[in-house]
Amino acid sequence: MFALGLGISGMTMPGKVIGFLDVFGNWDPSLALVMLGAIGVHLLPSIWTLRLDSPVLDDRFHLSSLQTIDRRLVAGAALFGLGWGLAGFCPGPAVVAAGVLQPQAVVFLVAMVGGMASWEVVLRVRVGAPSRAGVLSEQTRGIPRRQEGAPGLSSAVAEEPLPLARWN
Amino acid sequence: MENFTPYSALIGGALIGLAASLMLWLNGRVTGISGIVGDLLVPRESEVGWRVAFLAGLALGGVLLLPWAPQAFDPFPDRSTGALVAAGLIVGVGTRMGNGCTSGHGVCGIPRGSTRSIIATITFIFTGGLSVWLVNTFFGGVL
């Protein structure tokens, strides 16, 4: 369903994406409607679902507990945007298009995985723990917490973020 | 404005939102594709199966869509392989550094009221626009 949404919406077409980002040129605002449509549909179910004790098929939610807005978040998002505007692909559409072996998507996807792996290697060297992105809070309501995952991850949860400037 | 396709955009967006809602309700998870892919690189036993299944579903969705809307997969002529490789690397690093992408921060994070996601989304849309502007201005739109 997610893939069909991406395909129908135009997100798998770099031309549409770049057209959307081409604010000062030939602007195609279509993708703004994609985001608005997605958020519009997802908003109320999201609020409603998160009031439940647990999801239907699992005993707990798996949601990020990260709160701080730090340089890493902004720098990461900025980099992602640069790459997104350069290729016209972001991760989801790349997987969908790679599924039909669209050559550009395959190239992008392989490079993307390479970039992700590079980051994991760099992070491991810097902080000696898996990426914080892999550490999800155990958000439970009335259900006993249980620690999960490789040793050292729970200490990573309590660990301070990388020593970067942060503002709340 | 050129090539404005409001109806397919809204319908596609609604499908994305519906899929995200189902994922959250059924599985308690966020459909952030960069996270689903990226966390596979830091494998934890219980975390592999559902990710593979979801990604397989994404790819299958493409296969199902192809006969009905082949134009969704037309190659884009204005970007070279080199640019795609560079972009892929940058996106790979950026999404891990920033803990998310358009689906994770934009579609899922914003409805949760996540300030991080709101900031991230604004940031990557801004730099996305900057990136396109740079290519248009200094490379005539072809790189």
Side-chain angles (χ1 to χ4, degrees):
Chain A
M1 187 185 301
F2 201 96
L4 292 177
L6 286 173
I8 290 168
S9 68
M11 286 290 287
T12 56
M13 295 190 282
K16 291 290 278 185
V17 174
I18 287 166
F20 166 66
L21 295 171
D22 192 9
V23 181
F24 299 112
N26 296 318
W27 189 44
D28 175 1
S30 303
L31 298 192
L33 292 178
V34 180
M35 185 76 79
L36 287 175
I39 292 174
V41 168
H42 186 43
L43 181 61
L44 290 179
S46 174
I47 292 171
W48 176 78
T49 298
L50 291 173
R51 293 199 180 134
L52 301 174
D53 282 339
S54 73
V56 173
L57 301 174
D58 202 334
D59 61 359
R60 58 185 173 88
F61 289 98
H62 305 259
L63 303 169
S64 168
S65 61
L66 298 176
Q67 301 261 328
T68 55
I69 296 169
D70 55 12
R71 280 204 316 244
R72 186 187 137 168
L73 173 75
V74 177
L79 272 179
F80 163 56
L82 285 177
W84 184 36
L86 181 56
F89 276 115
C90 61
V95 174
V96 175
V100 298
L101 300 178
Q102 206 267 42
Q104 294 178 318
V106 173
V107 168
F108 176 85
L109 187 64
V110 171
M112 185 184 88
V113 172
M116 289 179 166
S118 306
W119 172 257
E120 296 300 328
V121 169
V122 168
L123 244 198
R124 243 174 262 271
V125 170
R126 284 186 73 184
V127 298
S131 164
R132 286 181 56 82
V135 177
L136 305 174
S137 75
E138 289 155 31
Q139 189 167 349
T140 62
R141 293 176 196 83
I143 296 171
R145 288 174 176 271
R146 53 182 173 83
Q147 288 300 314
E148 182 194 298
L153 269 184
S154 52
S155 61
V157 175
E159 193 181 324
E160 278 292 292
L162 297 176
L164 302 170
R166 69 187 82 108
W167 57 99
N168 293 44
Chain B
M1 292 192 198
E2 284 197 10
N3 303 315
F4 187 40
T5 53
Y7 299 113
S8 55
L10 279 170
I11 290 169
L15 280 173
I16 293 169
L18 184 58
S21 299
L22 284 173
M23 177 76 125
L24 186 63
W25 182 55
L26 294 175
N27 300 302
R29 295 183 185 274
V30 158
T31 40
I33 310 301
S34 70
I36 294 175
V37 173
D39 288 350
L40 271 177
L41 300 173
V42 194
R44 293 157 61 187
E45 267 211 40
S46 63
E47 294 285 320
V48 173
W50 72 268
R51 294 174 192 276
V52 172
F54 185 88
L55 294 175
L58 273 190
L60 179 64
V63 173
L64 292 174
L65 190 63
L66 182 63
W68 301 103
Q71 69 276 11
F73 304 107
D74 283 343
F76 182 60
D78 294 349
R79 293 294 189 270
S80 65
T81 303
L84 289 170
V85 171
L89 288 169
I90 294 170
V91 164
V93 171
T95 52
R96 295 307 282 168
M97 194 190 297
N99 292 103
C101 59
T102 44
S103 53
H105 280 308
V107 174
C108 300
I110 291 177
R112 286 180 61 207
S114 163
T115 317
R116 277 175 59 92
S117 290
I118 293 167
I119 300 278
T121 303
I122 293 170
T123 303
F124 63 64
I125 289 182
F126 176 75
T127 61
L130 177 65
S131 178
V132 170
W133 181 83
L134 286 171
V135 174
N136 285 349
T137 303
F138 295 108
F139 299 95
V142 180
L143 185 52

